């Protein structure tokens, strides 16, 4: 697979600046039909990016009757859960073009259950999120949760009552996905740049994971290189996993795009909230381009470093080095920043993301750079098939990313900004050392300085 060498400065400023590890074509086929209106009683079809606003509107209008919503990707419909059998509520949902779905658990019931889990079962290696498809809280325990910890978790879930929560085991270990990448470097750790933004004072900046931001104050575009950006704000653990990093040069051109490798980019036009059932793409510096679906919202993850709340849960794979990387949609909506999870891109697993909308609000930034863009970039228009820079159009149904799996380089090699192959196992091992002290990799998923 040919690789277009990206200049060092452009590698640093292209959002999600990472090496090509994907196949030739970079986007999934556009399976979402345009929104159509077939009458008040007939469900409408929506693009996945369009359902978040409608779901929020219905949640506000329906009040206590609203019990969550999700996107049915197969039918391209918004499904809205309701408690009770109020015909006015059901008709209101149908008039909006959505599909009403009567369920047992109200939003307040599920919120109360989540509070109980936080009080009685905040155990490292556990996570939970609301699953509107099942109208339950999905609780996951990694391989470290055993013995009395497992007993405490299962008894707490049982105490919530029948049909309120389910618990399952995960073969991996929940950890932050830092190191092993080639995008940005700081304090002995390596992370992925998420999205370029404009800070509240008008200066160019980017978003990445909070656990990257607390690992080092300054970040470079090359290992042991001169810093090009400085952390302005960072949150981790706690109410999120995000950081705002300002470019040191106020004239830095920071285009609103995701570099998906092979010299190609995806233009990012807006930030959007995630919806359960939504198809998403993730770009990371270790594993490249991968795809999957949103499976839960408002997730709580109990990492070894502490508890993080308000995350997006997905079935997209990720590995060490992908932290901070871009979660986005095919049509150019910024959705999330890679936080952590369990598993890898061989066996799969759960991966959690910081919502971009929440991070932007918290740090006072706006997406993009006011139209700034790097000249000569080869961009992929949202919704279009990727085009080979050499002039050959790629077949999205052929050598493109398999919708059922991850985009993979046939050679299985990652590439660093200098164009040299990098073994994903090299200089990896997990997250960044929060203390910043020198030390060896302890195998816990945290990387210490060399």
């Amino acid at each position: 697979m040919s690789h277009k060498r990206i200049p060092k400065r452009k590698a640093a400023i292209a959002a999600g600046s990472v090496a090509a590890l994907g196949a030739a074509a970079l986007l999934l086929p556009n399976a979402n039909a345009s929104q159509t209106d077939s009458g008040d009683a007939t469900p409408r079809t929506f693009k996945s990016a369009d359902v978040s606003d409608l779901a929020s509107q219905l949640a506000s209008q329906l009040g206590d009757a609203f019990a969550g919503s999700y996107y049915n990707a197969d039918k391209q419909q918004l499904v809205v859960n309701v408690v009770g059998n109020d015909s006015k509520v059901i008709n209101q949902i149908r008039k909006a073009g959505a599909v009403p779905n009567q369920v047992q658990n109200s939003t307040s019931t599920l919120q109360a259950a989540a509070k109980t889990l936080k009080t009685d079962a905040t155990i490292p290696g556990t996570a939970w999120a609301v699953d509107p498809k099942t109208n339950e809280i999905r609780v996951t325990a990694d391989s470290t949760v055993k013995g009395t910890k497992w007993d405490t978790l299962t008894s707490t879930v049982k105490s919530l009552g029948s049909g309120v929560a389910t618990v399952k085991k995960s073969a991996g270990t929940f950890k932050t996905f830092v190191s092993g990448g080639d995008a940005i470097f700081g304090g002995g750790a390596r992370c992925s740049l998420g999205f370029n933004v404009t800070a509240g004072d008008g200066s160019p900046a980017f978003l990445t994971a909070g656990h990257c931001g607390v690992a080092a104050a300054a970040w470079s575009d090359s290992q042991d290189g001169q810093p090009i950006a400085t952390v302005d704000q960072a949150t981790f653990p706690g109410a999120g996993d995000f950081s705002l990093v300002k470019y040191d040069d106020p004239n830095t051109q920071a285009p609103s795009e995701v570099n998906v490798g092979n010299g190609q980019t995806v233009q990012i036009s807006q930030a959007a909230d995630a919806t359960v059932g939504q198809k998403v793409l993730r770009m990371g510096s270790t594993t490249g381009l991968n795809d999957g679906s949103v499976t839960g919202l408002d997730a709580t993850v109990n990492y070894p470093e502490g508890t993080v709340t308000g995350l997006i849960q997905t079935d997209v794979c990720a590995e060490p080095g992908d932290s901070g990387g871009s979660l986005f949609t095919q049509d150019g909506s910024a959705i999330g920043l890679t936080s952590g999870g369990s598993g890898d891109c061989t066996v799969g697993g759960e991966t959690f993301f910081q919502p971009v909308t929440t991070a932007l609000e918290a740090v006072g930034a706006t997406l993009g750079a006011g139209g700034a863009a790097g000249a000569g970039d080869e961009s992929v228009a949202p919704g279009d098939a990727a085009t080979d820079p050499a002039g050959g159009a790629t077949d999205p149904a052929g050598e493109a990313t398999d919708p059922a799996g991850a985009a993979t380089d046939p050679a299985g090699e990652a590439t660093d900004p200098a164009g040299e192959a990098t073994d994903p196992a090299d200089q990896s091992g997990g997250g960044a050392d929060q203390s910043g002290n020198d030390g060896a990799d302890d195998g816990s998923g945290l990387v210490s300085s060399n």
Side-chain angles (χ1 to χ4, degrees):
M1 180 182 73
S2 62
H3 176 75
K4 180 178 178 181
R5 186 182 296 270
I6 304 174
K8 182 183 295 183
R9 171 61 61 176
K10 290 186 65 178
I13 66 176
S17 179
V18 291
L21 198 83
L26 302 169
L27 296 181
L28 305 180
N30 188 354
N32 293 320
S34 298
Q35 181 173 315
T36 59
D37 188 353
S38 303
D40 290 346
T42 303
R44 297 160 66 183
T45 58
F46 298 88
K47 292 182 179 180
S48 63
D50 295 335
V51 299
S52 178
D53 288 343
L54 177 57
S56 296
Q57 292 172 11
L58 287 172
S60 177
Q61 294 169 4
L62 301 179
D64 293 340
F66 180 84
S69 63
Y70 63 94
Y71 182 63
N72 184 328
D74 292 335
K75 295 183 178 181
Q76 300 169 23
Q77 295 173 347
L78 174 65
V79 180
V80 178
N81 294 339
V82 292
V83 176
N85 191 27
D86 188 327
S87 60
K88 290 183 179 179
V89 169
I90 292 174
N91 287 337
Q92 189 172 359
I93 294 171
R94 287 175 174 163
K95 187 174 182 179
V99 179
N101 179 43
Q102 291 177 266
V103 295
Q104 168 188 321
N105 297 317
S106 66
T107 298
S108 59
T109 297
L110 296 178
Q111 289 175 339
K115 289 182 179 179
T116 299
L117 286 167
K118 180 179 180 180
T119 301
D120 299 339
T122 296
I123 300 167
T126 61
W128 51 81
V130 174
D131 182 0
K133 288 187 176 182
T134 61
N135 187 229
E136 295 177 327
I137 293 180
R138 185 194 306 113
V139 182
T140 307
D142 72 14
S143 59
T144 67
V145 181
K146 57 185 69 174
T148 57
K149 293 180 179 179
W150 173 254
D151 293 341
T152 298
L153 181 65
T154 54
S155 63
T156 302
V157 169
K158 186 177 181 180
S159 72
L160 300 176
S162 176
V164 176
T166 58
V167 61
K168 72 169 187 176
K169 274 278 195 179
S170 173
T173 301
F174 289 143
K175 59 184 180 293
T176 52
F177 286 135
V178 186
S179 180
D182 55 20
I184 53 176
F185 303 78
R190 298 196 285 183
C191 289
S192 298
L193 189 153
F195 298 99
N196 279 319
V197 299
T198 299
D201 61 2
S203 62
F206 62 82
L207 294 176
T208 189
H211 61 267
C212 298
V214 301
W219 290 84
S220 172
D221 60 348
S222 63
Q223 192 166 20
D224 300 323
Q226 290 297 312
I228 62 167
T230 303
V231 175
D232 180 74
Q233 303 176 51
T235 296
F236 178 85
D241 186 1
F242 56 89
S243 60
L244 177 71
V245 187
K246 291 184 177 180
Y247 290 105
D248 296 335
D249 181 355
N251 296 315
T252 297
Q253 295 293 298
S256 187
E257 60 188 27
V258 173
N259 180 351
V260 287
N262 205 27
Q264 298 171 345
T265 59
V266 174
Q267 296 301 312
I268 299 299
S269 59
Q270 64 179 345
D273 293 324
T275 302
V276 170
Q278 182 178 33
K279 300 297 184 183
V280 287
L281 298 166
R282 178 195 59 73
M283 192 65 191
S285 58
T286 298
T287 57
L289 186 70
N290 289 277
D291 69 288
S293 300
V294 175
T295 60
L297 300 177
D298 198 20
T300 294
V301 185
N302 296 301
Y303 292 122
E305 303 91 334
T307 299
V308 179
T309 60
L311 302 181
I312 301 166
Q313 185 169 358
T314 76
D315 59 11
V316 185
C317 72
E319 296 182 8
D322 291 329
S323 276
S326 318
L327 183 73
F328 59 102
T329 63
Q330 177 179 329
D331 59 3
S333 294
I335 301 296
L337 308 166
T338 307
S339 174
S342 67
D344 54 39
C345 288
T346 300
V347 301
E350 298 84 17
T351 302
F352 300 91
F353 296 83
Q354 164 65 46
V356 167
T357 52
T358 305
L360 289 171
E361 182 178 3
V363 301
T366 54
L367 187 69
D377 286 351
E378 294 177 8
S379 302
V380 180
D384 291 345
T387 304
D388 183 2
T394 54
D395 177 7
E399 297 183 7
T401 305
D402 180 0
T408 54
D409 180 349
E413 298 176 344
T415 311
D416 72 9
E420 298 174 353
T422 303
D423 183 351
D426 289 346
Q427 300 180 25
S428 63
D433 180 6
Q434 308 307 324
S435 67
N437 296 327
D438 292 344
D441 180 6
D442 62 5
S444 66
L446 300 180
V447 158
S448 303
S449 302
N450 294 324

